[in-house]
Amino acid sequence: MGKRGISRLLTALLLSGVTAYLAAADHALLLFAKAGDEAMFRKFDTYRRQLEAGLPRLGVGKEAIRVFTEASPYDRQAVLTELDKIAAAQGPSDRLWVFLFGHAQSGRLTQWLKLPKGVLNITELARRLDRISGEQLVFVFTPYSYELQEALKKPERTVIASASAEGESNPPKLPDFLLKKLSAPGEGWLDPVRQAALENSAAARQAGLYQAESPRITAGNKADAYPFTALTDAELPARRARPDSFRAAAGKQAAPLPGVPYFSREREVELIFDPNGTVTETERNVIELNTPDAARQFTVLYLPRAGSTEFEVLTARSLDKTGKVNDGEIAKATGSVRFSGLEPGSRIEYAYRRRYRAGNGLGAFSRLLTLALNYPQQKLKLTLSVPKALRLNFKYGNLPAVPQFREETGPYNRAYVLEFAKLPGCVPVPWLPADRLFHPYLRMSALKEWQEFTDWYAKLIEGSDIAGSDVEQLAVRLAQGANSDAEKLEKLYDYVNALRYDTTPIGIRGLRPRLPGQVIESGYGDCKDKATLLVALAGKLGIEGYTALLNRAGAADPNFPSWQFNHMLAYFPELEGFPEGLWLDATDTETPFPTLPPGDVNRPALVLTPAGGAFRTVKPGRPEANQLTQNFIFERGRDGQFTFNAQGIFKYRERHAFKLKPAEQLGYLLQSELAELIPGAGLKTFRLGGADTSGTLEPAGTPPAVLLPGFLWKPFALPARSLPVALNDGQPFTFRRTVSIQGYGKLEQAADWKESAGPLTVEVTRSAGENGRYETDTVIRFSAGEVAPADYPAVRRLLLKALRSDQAITAQFR
C-alpha cells in the first residue's frame, strides 16, 4: 500500500474514532421519589438545579438529563420506559449517572422507592440498569441507602450511598455538601466524598444534632466506608470536570457596569412560607468587584444569620482575573465569610440557607420586601412559595420595568416566580420622609380586602379590653378636679404615659394586649397595653375612644390589604378643643400631652371600631406646640448667658437625650450642642428645669457669631435635590432665636426683613436699646415639615440668608 493509501486508511480510522466519540452519549437519570413535605420538596428542587448545572460540566448533555419529580407525578412504568430508552441509546464507552432521592422503605426481603404514583422495587430497578451497557455511577441519597446500595451493586457499577450501616432511616444530609463538589476540578472521588462527610458532621455538631450517617462506596465487588482506607481512586471511575460558568467568566469580558464600585451579576432569592409562620430563605449572589475599595470591603462578608433557627452557608468562593478559584473561609458561629486575594476584577459567589420565624398567624403571609440593595443588580430572581391553599396578591413600586411573572403549582406549595432586570443601587439618602417608600419594593399579601384583616384581628384581641371596677375607680380618682373631657383625658394620659414601657412579644403576646387591670397592677406595658388601657380609662368616664394600628417610623399602604403594623396608639374622635379628633401615644414617657412622638405623624393608622376599621391620617393635637426657642445674651466683661426652651417634639428629643444621664454626661451633651451653634464656646454652668435649659458661657472678647441649628440647614447642604426633605418628623414647627449684645461699641443698624419660600417663612427683626444694647430676633416657621424638590432651591437660599444674617452684624466688632 502506498503512502496515499496509508494516509486514506489513517484518515478513515481517525474519522471513525471521532464519529464514535461524537456519537457517545453520557446520560443521567435524576429520580426524586416522594418528598413528604414542602421543605424537602424545595430542597430536592435545589438538588435538581445543582445537578442540571453541574452534570453538563461532567460531560452529560443537557438533553441527556432525565428528571422525574413530584411536580409532574410519575409512576413505575414511566421510569422503566425511560431506562429502556437509555439502554437503546448508550454505548459501551458511555457513562450513566443515576441519582436517587426521596422516600424509601426496606423490608425483610426487598426495598422500594415511594413514587408520586405507586412504588418502584429496587430489585426491578437494578435489573433494568443491568441491561444498560457502559460505566454506571449510582448515588443513593435516600433513607435506608445502605440496603438500597446492597441491592444495586454490580461489578461494572459504582454505588455511593450516604449511609454505611443498616437501618439508617433519616433523610440524608450528605447531598447538601457532596453535590456542590461533583463538578469541581479534580480527578478522584474519594477526596470530595471525604470532605463532604467532614462538612456534614461539622454542620451537625454546630446545630447540636446527632449525626450518625457516613458515606459508603461499592466499586465492583469491593466496598469501603468513610474514611476510605481500602479503596483507591484508581479503582473508581474518573471524575473529569469542565470549568463552570463562574470560573469560565474569568477574563472573558469587561464588567458591564464599570462606573460603580461593585454590582450583582445575578442574584436568586427563594422564600418558602410554612403555615406555622416559619420561613426558609435561600439566597445566591454573584458579585463583581471593580475597585480596590470594593475588594477590601468584601474581604469579610457578613451573612444574615441573626434570628435564624437554622443557618447554613451553601457556597462561598472567589475568582480572580487569572481564573483561579479560592474557597472562602466560613466562620459558622458568626455567619461570616473571609475571601482572600480579592482585587479589582475579582468575582465572589456566596449562597446560604436559613430558617426563621416571620410572625404570628396571618402576619406570616403579609410582607414588604425591599428589592433594592445599596449596589446595582443586573438580574434578580425572586421565588415566593406558599401553601397551595393560599393565593397571594402583589404590588410593586419604584421599579425601572415591570418584572416577568409566572405561577407554578407543585405537589405541596404554590410558587410565584418574579424576575427583575437592571435594578439600580439605592443608597439611603438622609432626610427622606419615612412615611413613603422611595426605592424598589414588593408587597405581598393573602388578603383581598381590609375587612378580612379587621375580622381576624378582632377575634384575636376579643376580650382584651374588658375593664373591671378597679379601672373605673382609678379613672374617677385620676380625673378629680378636671372641668372638661380634654382635661380629664390629659390626667388619664399623664398616668398611662408615666407607666414603665416593657414588652415580651412572644407568641400571641406579640399581637394581643393584656387586660387593663393587669397593666395597672403590674405598673408597666407596651404600646398596645398602654393604648388599650387609656381607651378603657376614658370609656369609664364616658369619653369615646378607639385603639388604632400604625406603622411607626415606616410606610403603610392603605390601598393594599396586609399586615403592615408595628405599633398601636389611641384615637379620640370627639373632644372639645380638638375638632378633628385627638391622637395620643402613651408609649414613650417623654411625650407630653397632647403632642406625639417621632414616627407617628402624617402616617395612615387603622382605627379599630366595633364596625370594623377605617384609615385616618395621624395629626398632632396642637401643631403650634412644636417650638424651639433660643436666647443668648452677650455683655462685655461678663459671662455669656443662654436659655433654651423646647416644646412639642423638640421637648421629646431633649428629654429623651437627657433622660437618666449623670451631670457630667449632661454637660458634655450641652457642650456639644453649643459647639455647633457657637464654635469654640466654653460651657461654665448649666441648669435643667421644666421646659428650660439654661447656663453660662465663658466671656468672649467680641460677641460670637451664633449659627442656626444644624437640623435646619444641613438637609439643604446640596445645591439641588431630586427627592423631598423631611424636617422635624414631617411636622410643622417654629424656631425662634434672640441674640442680645451690649457694650461692644456702636452697631450700624440693619433693616428688618421678612421673606417666604415654599413652606418656609423667615422674619428678622432688629432693635437698639439703651446703653448700647442691640437685639436680633430671628423667627423661622415651617408651615409643613416637608419640602418638595421644586421648593428646595428657594428654601435653601432663604435659610442661607438667615444663616449669614447675624454673622454680618457681629462681624462689625471684629
Side-chain angles (χ1 to χ4, degrees), residues 172-183:
K173 293 185 177 293
L174 184 69
D176 291 351
F177 306 93
L178 181 55
L179 294 186
K180 294 180 289 187
K181 304 177 185 300
L182 290 185
S183 57

Side-chain angles (χ1 to χ4, degrees), residues 49-71:
R49 285 187 273 113
Q50 286 179 323
L51 288 169
E52 288 182 338
L55 285 170
R57 298 194 293 271
L58 293 165
V60 183
K62 291 185 177 181
E63 72 287 347
I65 302 174
R66 273 75 162 180
V67 181
F68 290 90
T69 76
E70 285 187 271

Side-chain angles (χ1 to χ4, degrees), residues 420-742:
F420 305 84
K422 297 183 178 179
L423 290 176
C426 296
V427 178
V429 178
W431 298 290
L432 278 177
D435 58 320
R436 273 156 288 158
L437 295 169
F438 294 92
H439 300 322
Y441 69 88
L442 170 68
R443 290 191 188 276
M444 61 178 178
S445 173
L447 299 174
K448 295 180 181 178
E449 54 185 25
W450 280 109
Q451 189 64 46
E452 291 182 67
F453 174 83
T454 54
D455 290 346
W456 169 80
Y457 194 65
K459 292 179 182 178
L460 185 73
I461 65 172
E462 185 177 6
S464 63
D465 58 348
I466 295 175
S469 58
D470 54 340
V471 177
E472 183 174 3
Q473 291 169 9
L474 177 62
V476 172
R477 178 168 60 82
L478 291 172
Q480 286 179 357
N483 298 317
S484 67
D485 283 351
E487 291 181 4
K488 295 175 184 177
L489 195 55
E490 182 174 1
K491 289 177 176 289
L492 301 179
Y493 173 83
D494 288 344
Y495 167 82
V496 177
N497 191 38
L499 294 176
R500 177 171 58 91
Y501 175 83
D502 196 6
T503 184
T504 51
I506 300 173
I508 197 65
R509 273 287 294 124
L511 297 171
R512 180 182 170 88
R514 291 185 298 150
L515 291 170
Q518 292 176 326
V519 180
I520 295 171
E521 182 180 2
S522 65
Y524 70 87
D526 61 12
C527 64
K528 54 189 178 296
D529 294 336
K530 288 190 169 192
T532 303
L533 173 58
L534 182 58
V535 170
L537 287 168
K540 293 300 183 182
L541 300 179
I543 303 172
E544 181 187 5
Y546 304 101
T547 56
L549 293 170
L550 180 77
N551 190 333
R552 187 179 183 186
D557 184 354
N559 298 314
F560 188 76
S562 64
W563 175 262
Q564 304 180 38
F565 311 108
N566 59 13
H567 191 55
M568 182 180 280
L569 71 167
Y571 175 64
F572 300 90
E574 296 183 11
L575 203 64
E576 184 180 353
F578 301 94
E580 296 184 6
L582 177 62
W583 296 90
L584 292 175
D585 189 343
T587 304
D588 303 327
T589 58
E590 292 90 353
T591 313
F593 181 92
T595 60
L596 290 166
D600 287 6
V601 174
N602 293 330
R603 289 161 177 81
L606 181 61
V607 180
L608 302 172
T609 67
F615 277 96
R616 296 182 66 93
T617 302
V618 178
K619 296 295 182 184
R622 295 196 181 114
E624 68 277 5
N626 293 314
Q627 297 186 25
L628 178 62
T629 302
Q630 297 177 350
N631 293 310
F632 292 92
I633 300 175
F634 302 104
E635 187 173 351
R636 182 185 292 275
R638 302 186 63 177
D639 294 339
Q641 299 180 42
F642 69 90
T643 303
F644 298 160
N645 179 275
Q647 299 292 335
I649 201 167
F650 295 104
K651 183 62 177 176
Y652 174 94
R653 293 193 179 108
E654 183 180 276
R655 290 176 65 178
H656 194 73
F658 294 165
K659 188 176 182 181
L660 301 178
K661 300 291 193 304
E664 187 175 6
Q665 190 172 4
L666 290 175
Y668 278 111
L669 289 172
L670 277 173
Q671 179 65 71
S672 177
E673 184 176 349
L674 286 165
E676 186 179 69
L677 300 174
I678 310 173
L683 178 67
K684 291 186 70 175
T685 65
F686 68 90
R687 182 180 64 85
L688 302 178
D692 289 338
T693 301
S694 59
T696 60
L697 305 169
E698 295 173 348
T702 58
V706 184
L707 305 178
L708 294 179
F711 78 86
L712 283 172
W713 58 268
K714 285 181 179 179
F716 300 92
L718 293 175
R721 180 177 166 117
S722 60
L723 295 169
V725 170
L727 300 168
N728 196 48
D729 193 46
Q731 302 186 41
F733 68 94
T734 299
F735 169 78
R736 182 168 189 163
R737 190 196 59 209
T738 302
V739 180
S740 296
I741 58 176
Q742 185 173 358

Side-chain angles (χ1 to χ4, degrees), residues 65-289:
I65 302 174
R66 273 75 162 180
V67 181
F68 290 90
T69 76
E70 285 187 271
S72 300
Y74 63 94
D75 59 12
R76 156 189 165 278
Q77 189 56 51
V79 177
L80 298 178
T81 300
E82 194 61 50
L83 288 171
D84 289 342
K85 292 179 181 178
I86 294 174
Q90 184 157 310
S93 61
D94 300 335
R95 177 181 291 180
L96 171 63
W97 304 74
V98 179
F99 295 86
L100 304 180
F101 301 89
H103 187 74
Q105 284 288 347
S106 178
R108 198 160 58 97
L109 299 176
T110 187
Q111 299 79 35
W112 61 91
L113 293 173
K114 175 66 176 174
L115 306 182
K117 296 180 179 179
V119 298
L120 174 60
N121 190 290
I122 295 301
T123 303
E124 189 173 24
L125 174 64
R127 289 171 180 167
R128 271 312 203 277
L129 291 174
D130 292 344
R131 300 180 185 178
I132 301 174
S133 60
E135 201 171 54
Q136 295 182 12
L137 265 166
V138 181
F139 296 82
V140 186
F141 297 133
T142 69
Y144 302 102
S145 62
Y146 177 93
E147 288 85 345
L148 269 64
Q149 183 183 52
E150 285 295 299
L152 289 167
K153 66 181 182 182
K154 272 283 190 183
E156 66 277 10
R157 186 178 301 142
T158 299
V159 185
I160 300 177
S162 56
S164 56
E166 293 184 60
E168 294 186 12
S169 59
N170 293 326
K173 293 185 177 293
L174 184 69
D176 291 351
F177 306 93
L178 181 55
L179 294 186
K180 294 180 289 187
K181 304 177 185 300
L182 290 185
S183 57
E187 295 295 325
W189 282 106
L190 294 180
D191 188 58
V193 179
R194 284 193 195 102
Q195 290 299 318
L198 282 171
E199 292 174 14
N200 189 15
S201 296
R205 287 195 302 271
Q206 184 71 32
L209 302 174
Y210 173 69
Q211 181 67 41
E213 70 179 51
S214 61
R216 178 174 182 256
I217 300 176
T218 59
N221 294 319
K222 198 170 185 179
D224 198 7
Y226 174 80
F228 307 116
T229 56
L231 276 173
T232 65
D233 279 319
E235 298 172 272
L236 301 175
R239 184 173 58 91
R240 300 176 297 271
R242 304 176 190 172
D244 60 16
S245 59
F246 177 76
R247 173 188 292 274
K252 277 196 170 183
Q253 58 180 355
L257 294 177
V260 298
Y262 54 96
F263 67 94
S264 170
R265 180 177 290 275
E266 52 187 47
R267 180 173 173 237
E268 297 180 9
V269 179
E270 181 183 59
L271 299 172
I272 303 174
F273 291 82
D274 292 330
N276 63 1
T278 301
V279 178
T280 301
E281 175 184 335
T282 306
E283 176 171 337
R284 172 183 171 270
N285 202 352
V286 177
I287 299 177
E288 303 276 358
L289 309 177

Side-chain angles (χ1 to χ4, degrees), residues 294-344:
R296 283 191 289 271
Q297 177 177 335
F298 280 93
T299 297
V300 179
L301 176 67
Y302 292 93
L303 300 176
R305 174 169 186 155
S308 304
T309 57
E310 297 177 28
F311 180 83
E312 179 186 2
V313 179
L314 304 175
T315 302
R317 54 181 178 165
S318 63
L319 175 75
D320 65 23
K321 292 186 293 187
T322 68
K324 182 182 178 182
V325 174
N326 297 306
D327 289 333
E329 181 183 337
I330 301 170
K332 295 183 179 180
T334 61
S336 64
V337 179
R338 181 179 292 275
F339 296 102
S340 60
L342 298 183
E343 58 182 337

